[in-house]
Amino acid sequence: MIDDPRIDTAIESYDVAALPKGFTKRTMLRVADVGTEQPAFRLHFIDMAIPVFVMSFLATIMLVGGYMLNSANPFWLQDLQAAGATLFAEVGGYFPIVALGLGLIGMTVFLLALLLITLISSRPQVRLQI
Amino acid sequence: MSNEEQQWVLQAKRGDTAAFEMLVEIHAHFVYNLALRVVRNPQEAEDLSQEAFVRAWQAMPRFRVEARFRTWLYRIVTNLCYDKLPRLKRELSMLDPDDALELPTSHKSPEGQLLSKEMEQTLHAKIDKLPESYRLLITLRHLQEMSYAEIAEVTGQPLGTVKTGIFRARRLLRNAIAEYEND
C-alpha cells in the first residue's frame, strides 16, 4: 500500500534540524548590506492618458479664460462666443454658466487627484506615503 | 497567510527591514530544513538559506501582494538548490508524469502509527539514500503541508511530475518496509 501511514510517520520524524543559533541575526546583517531592486519603469497606457487629459484640460481652461477676458480669439472661439451669447441670453446671464463650469472643473480636479492617489499607492516603486 | 504576515509583507515591500526580519523569523526554520535536506551539509544549507532571504529582500518591491509569500520564497530557495545541484532539476524533469498514481490525499499520519525504533532508523536511512529530487518533493509535502499544486508552483514542474516524484519516493519507502518485515 502506497498510503501506508508508517511512511508518513517516518518522513515526518526524519531529521528536522534546529535552526543554527544566530541565524536570523546573521541573515539580517547580510540583508542590511544589500539594497532592494526597484522594478524597471514600465510605461502604461494611463501614464500617457493622464498627461494628455491634464494638458487638454488646462488648455481648455486657458482658452475659455482667454475667451471670457477677450484676450484670445481664434476663429472657432468666435463661433463659440456667438453660441455663448445665445446661451447666456437664454439662461439669463453669465453666472449660472460660470458656476456650472467652476463646479465641473472642481469635480474633475478632485477625481483626478483621487485617481493619482490610487495610482501612486499601487505602484511599488513609489515610496511616497499618502 | 495571516493578516499579520500580510502586513509585514506590505511593510517589507516598502523597505521596512524590521518587518522583513519578522518574515525571516517565520520562514527560516523551514527554509533551512528544506535546504539541508537537499544539500545535506549544515554550513551550505545555512549559506543557501541566507542567500534565499537576501534575494527575497532584493526582489521584495517586485513581489505581487496577491501571490502567496511562502510559495514565492520557497521558489527562490528551490531555484538556489537547482543552481547548487544542476542534476536536481534534470532528475525532476525526467520523471514521467504519466506514471500510474494512487497518492493519498492526506499526508498526516494517524495517531498511534508508531514505528519501532529499528524500522524508523531503516526508513530514515532509506530517505537518506533517496535522490535529492524525491527528498525535495517529500519535504515540501510533509514538512510544510503543501498541496501538490503548490509544490508544482514552487518547483516549477508540472503537477503530474510532482505527483510521480512523490509516488515513487513513497514506493521506495514502502519497499523498504516490506524488506524490513521479510527479514
Side-chain angles (χ1 to χ4, degrees):
Chain A
M1 286 277 288
I2 208 74
D3 59 350
D4 188 334
R6 288 175 297 179
I7 297 173
D8 298 301
T9 307
I11 297 173
E12 279 156 24
S13 61
Y14 172 75
D15 197 21
V16 180
L19 202 58
K21 221 170 179 173
F23 177 90
T24 304
K25 199 174 172 189
R26 286 193 294 279
T27 303
M28 291 313 293
L29 283 174
R30 282 183 67 176
V31 163
D33 282 344
V34 297
T36 53
E37 292 166 1
Q38 294 303 313
F41 178 72
R42 277 188 222 153
L43 201 60
H44 298 270
F45 170 74
I46 202 79
D47 297 316
M48 304 293 284
I50 289 180
V52 167
F53 174 77
V54 170
M55 291 306 291
S56 316
F57 185 67
L58 290 177
T60 308
I61 289 177
M62 286 168 75
L63 281 171
V64 171
Y67 156 76
M68 293 181 80
L69 296 170
N70 276 326
S71 64
N73 212 5
F75 71 95
W76 56 270
L77 265 183
Q78 290 170 15
D79 296 340
L80 189 64
Q81 233 163 1
T86 314
L87 184 65
F88 296 148
E90 279 175 19
V91 296
Y94 281 94
F95 183 73
I97 301 296
V98 171
L100 183 68
L102 287 176
L104 283 174
I105 291 170
M107 197 186 295
T108 310
V109 169
F110 177 70
L111 289 174
L112 203 61
L114 281 183
L115 178 65
L116 284 173
I117 288 170
T118 311
L119 284 174
I120 287 170
S121 31
S122 70
R123 296 288 173 93
Q125 65 269 41
V126 177
R127 298 293 180 98
L128 187 66
Q129 298 283 316
I130 295 180
Chain B
M1 185 156 52
S2 68
N3 283 345
E4 208 174 27
E5 189 180 354
Q6 176 89 29
Q7 207 52 45
W8 289 329
V9 168
L10 289 172
Q11 288 170 356
K13 264 175 79 68
R14 291 197 289 261
D16 184 338
T17 48
F20 188 74
E21 189 169 352
M22 298 309 293
L23 294 171
V24 174
E25 290 275 2
I26 293 174
H27 294 282
H29 185 250
F30 179 73
V31 165
Y32 175 71
N33 270 284
L34 180 62
L36 184 62
R37 285 188 178 197
V38 176
V39 299
R40 314 304 306 279
N41 176 305
Q43 190 52 53
E44 282 184 24
E46 177 168 348
D47 282 348
L48 196 147
S49 313
Q50 287 183 355
E51 182 61 26
F53 283 116
V54 168
R55 289 197 186 187
W57 168 251
Q58 288 178 307
M60 271 315 282
R62 282 187 278 121
F63 173 69
R64 290 174 299 109
V65 283
E66 63 272 22
R68 197 167 182 183
F69 181 74
R70 81 167 188 183
T71 309
W72 181 73
L73 176 65
Y74 300 168
R75 174 119 205 203
I76 294 174
V77 182
T78 308
N79 283 338
L80 285 170
C81 289
Y82 289 157
D83 291 346
K84 188 98 188 156
L85 300 168
R87 71 171 179 277
L88 178 63
K89 197 169 186 179
R90 271 202 310 276
E91 273 175 19
L92 279 172
S93 51
M94 280 164 60
L95 290 172
D96 182 2
D98 295 329
D99 256 10
L101 302 171
E102 284 174 22
L103 287 169
T105 48
S106 161
H107 54 275
K108 278 282 161 204
S109 54
E111 294 283 333
Q113 278 301 330
L114 293 176
L115 293 173
S116 69
K117 202 72 200 159
E118 202 179 339
M119 187 192 273
E120 191 176 44
Q121 282 169 354
T122 305
L123 286 173
H124 287 174
K126 189 72 188 174
I127 295 171
D128 273 338
K129 288 181 190 148
L130 286 177
E132 285 98 349
S133 54
Y134 291 173
R135 268 205 311 275
L136 172 71
L137 295 175
I138 60 173
T139 301
L140 289 167
R141 179 72 179 152
H142 286 263
L143 235 63
Q144 204 61 7
E145 301 180 22
M146 281 189 171
S147 67
Y148 296 121
E150 199 177 359
I151 297 172
E153 208 178 319
V154 166
T155 56
Q157 299 294 326
L159 186 62
T161 301
V162 168
K163 287 185 171 182
T164 299
I166 293 174
F167 176 83
R168 289 191 185 171
R170 294 181 69 90
R171 190 171 58 191
L172 288 170
L173 295 175
R174 182 202 56 191
N175 293 345
I177 290 176
E179 278 171 27
Y180 176 84
E181 285 173 337
N182 289 337
D183 284 346

